[in-house]
């Protein structure tokens, strides 16, 4: 009966097999990473019309004193400087 239900309701596959609706850790607002991680800010990039990707920008501990109290503009400018950028792709779990 499970294959028939999945055939009739393909949304069940994404909800109950991939569990995209679960956010772990529970009861944590991942839109505000600065509450969880030092030197981190949440940014959103529009990759193409209608598609927005959420990212966290974390600067290394060596730049921690410099990043204290800075706004989003400072973090965006830090992405454009000569320091290397490491991109971590976590998958499609629905959380960062």
């Amino acid at each position: 009966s499970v294959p028939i239900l999945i055939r009739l309701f393909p949304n069940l596959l994404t909800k109950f097999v991939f569990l995209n609706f679960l956010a772990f850790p529970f009861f944590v607002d991942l839109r505000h990473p600065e509450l969880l991680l030092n030197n981190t800010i949440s940014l959103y990039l529009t990759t193409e019309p209608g598609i927005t990707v959420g990212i966290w920008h974390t600067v290394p501990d060596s730049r921690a004193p410099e990043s204290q109290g800075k706004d989003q503009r400072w973090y965006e400018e830090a992405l454009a400087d000569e320091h290397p950028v490491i991109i971590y792709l976590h998958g499609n779990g629905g959380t960062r």
Side-chain angles (χ1 to χ4, degrees):
S1 66
V2 173
I4 293 171
L5 287 174
I6 291 174
R7 180 76 172 154
L8 292 174
F9 307 102
N11 288 337
L12 288 177
L13 184 66
T14 59
K15 298 292 183 199
F16 295 107
V17 174
F18 299 119
L19 301 176
N20 289 353
F21 61 93
L22 289 179
F24 186 79
F26 302 112
F27 308 112
V28 174
D29 186 3
L30 297 174
R31 292 173 293 177
H32 300 285
E34 62 275 5
L35 302 175
L36 302 169
L37 302 168
N38 294 328
N39 320 323
T40 303
I41 191 170
S42 184
L43 302 171
Y44 294 92
L45 301 175
T46 302
T47 57
E48 53 187 71
I51 297 180
T52 301
V53 178
I55 64 167
W56 283 356
H57 179 208
T58 303
V59 295
D61 285 339
S62 62
R63 296 188 74 185
E66 185 183 354
S67 69
Q68 296 300 316
K70 302 295 185 186
D71 61 357
Q72 180 175 335
R73 183 177 176 163
W74 183 88
Y75 281 87
E76 290 173 357
E77 289 172 358
L79 281 173
D81 65 11
E82 72 278 355
H83 293 88
V85 174
I86 298 171
I87 299 174
Y88 171 70
L89 304 172
H90 61 79
N92 65 351
T95 63
R96 284 179 257 168

